[in-house]
């Protein structure tokens, strides 16, 4: 288990599959994901089985400190030679949207990816109209690298995707800056 401030990240389990099916058949949850077809339990079971032996990806469950499973986060297309991977995240429990759980999950995964996996670069793709996610990624210090023009067909029209990334040194510098901004508590007696 990997612990953050508000979340903990754990391995996904077979028992999570019914929750995944519920989330990934909800149009609101799917709005900004690349999934677009209805998902069956059998399809999700096959996906889960592929995750067990995968060396190029790792998907983790996001839980609150109280143990409520609220979403998934993962590293995909892990390139061990060039030390980079693509980040993907979905908060499936809508009651937890906009409360900082996603940004804490991202920071927690980045800390693990850079410090324990020794990755150098984490990148992601985000729809250009997903303002809440873009704000979250910027808050986590991702930088805009480019725009993939009209590469996604959704809701009857083409949309751009933004390509964003963060490097290990940038993340470490942000961690040092955050810790120096935290006031030191002293006790006076």
């Amino acid at each position: 288990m990997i612990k953050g401030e508000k979340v903990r990240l754990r391995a996904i389990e077979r028992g999570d599959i019914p929750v995944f099916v519920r989330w990934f058949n909800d149009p609101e949850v799917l709005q900004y994901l690349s999934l677009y077809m209805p998902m069956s339990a059998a399809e999700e079971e096959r996906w889960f089985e592929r995750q067990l032996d995968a060396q190029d990806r790792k998907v983790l469950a996001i839980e609150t400190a109280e143990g409520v499973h609220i979403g998934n986060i993962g590293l995909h297309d892990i390139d061990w030679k060039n030390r980079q991977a693509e980040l993907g995240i979905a908060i499936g429990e809508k009651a937890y949207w906009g409360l900082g759980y996603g940004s804490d999950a991202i920071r927690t995964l980045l800390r693990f990816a850079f410090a324990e996996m020794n990755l150098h670069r984490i990148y992601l793709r985000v729809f250009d109209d997903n303002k809440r996610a873009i704000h979250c990624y910027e808050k986590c210090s991702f930088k805009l690298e480019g725009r993939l023009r009209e590469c996604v067909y959704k809701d009857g029209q083409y949309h751009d995707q933004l390509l964003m990334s963060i490097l290990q040194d940038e993340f470490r510098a942000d961690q040092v800056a955050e810790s120096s901004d935290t006031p030191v508590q002293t006790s006076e007696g």
Side-chain angles (χ1 to χ4, degrees):
M1 187 162 301
I2 307 165
K3 293 186 179 180
E5 291 180 22
K6 298 177 82 165
V7 302
R8 55 190 189 197
L9 308 180
R10 65 160 173 84
I12 56 173
E13 299 289 346
R14 191 174 307 281
D16 296 326
I17 291 173
V19 175
F20 299 159
V21 172
R22 178 173 53 84
W23 290 343
F24 300 133
N25 280 301
D26 181 333
E28 280 186 278
V29 173
L30 290 181
Q31 182 178 7
Y32 294 115
L33 300 180
S34 59
L35 302 169
Y36 60 93
M37 297 292 283
M39 179 165 310
S40 71
E43 289 170 312
E44 197 64 10
E45 181 78 32
R46 279 196 303 273
W47 172 86
F48 176 82
E49 290 295 329
R50 288 192 305 271
Q51 304 313 298
L52 297 177
D53 295 323
Q55 298 298 309
D56 67 339
R57 64 186 168 275
K58 185 63 180 176
V59 178
L60 301 167
I62 303 169
E63 290 184 338
T64 66
E66 298 77 30
V68 178
H69 183 194
I70 62 169
N72 294 339
I73 190 167
L75 296 173
H76 308 278
D77 297 323
I78 300 171
D79 178 344
W80 295 105
K81 177 188 177 293
N82 296 305
R83 297 177 30 227
Q84 64 180 346
E86 183 172 8
L87 183 138
I89 184 171
I91 303 294
E93 294 298 333
K94 295 182 281 191
Y96 292 86
W97 287 2
L99 300 175
Y101 289 96
S103 56
D104 187 47
I106 291 169
R107 285 190 195 104
T108 301
L109 184 62
L110 289 175
R111 190 168 41 257
F112 184 80
F114 291 137
E116 300 301 324
M117 297 173 70
N118 195 28
L119 293 178
H120 173 69
R121 176 177 175 268
I122 306 295
Y123 63 95
L124 58 85
R125 291 172 289 164
V126 59
F127 295 147
D128 65 343
D129 61 341
N130 190 346
K131 304 302 181 201
R132 186 174 69 228
I134 293 167
H135 174 73
C136 174
Y137 300 141
E138 289 172 342
K139 192 165 91 172
C140 292
S141 300
F142 278 81
K143 309 285 187 262
L144 179 65
E145 283 191 348
R147 177 179 294 268
L148 305 172
R149 298 177 314 133
E150 296 187 5
C151 70
V152 176
Y153 188 74
K154 178 181 80 153
D155 298 327
Q157 59 186 6
Y158 286 96
H159 295 268
D160 294 355
Q161 270 189 336
L162 304 181
L163 181 62
M164 301 178 79
S165 72
I166 185 169
L167 304 177
Q168 185 184 78
D169 292 343
E170 294 168 339
F171 182 75
R172 287 185 176 155
D174 287 345
Q175 296 297 293
V176 169
E178 283 181 17
S179 65
S180 66
D181 289 344
T182 305
V184 177
Q185 293 186 357
T186 60
S187 59
E188 297 177 0

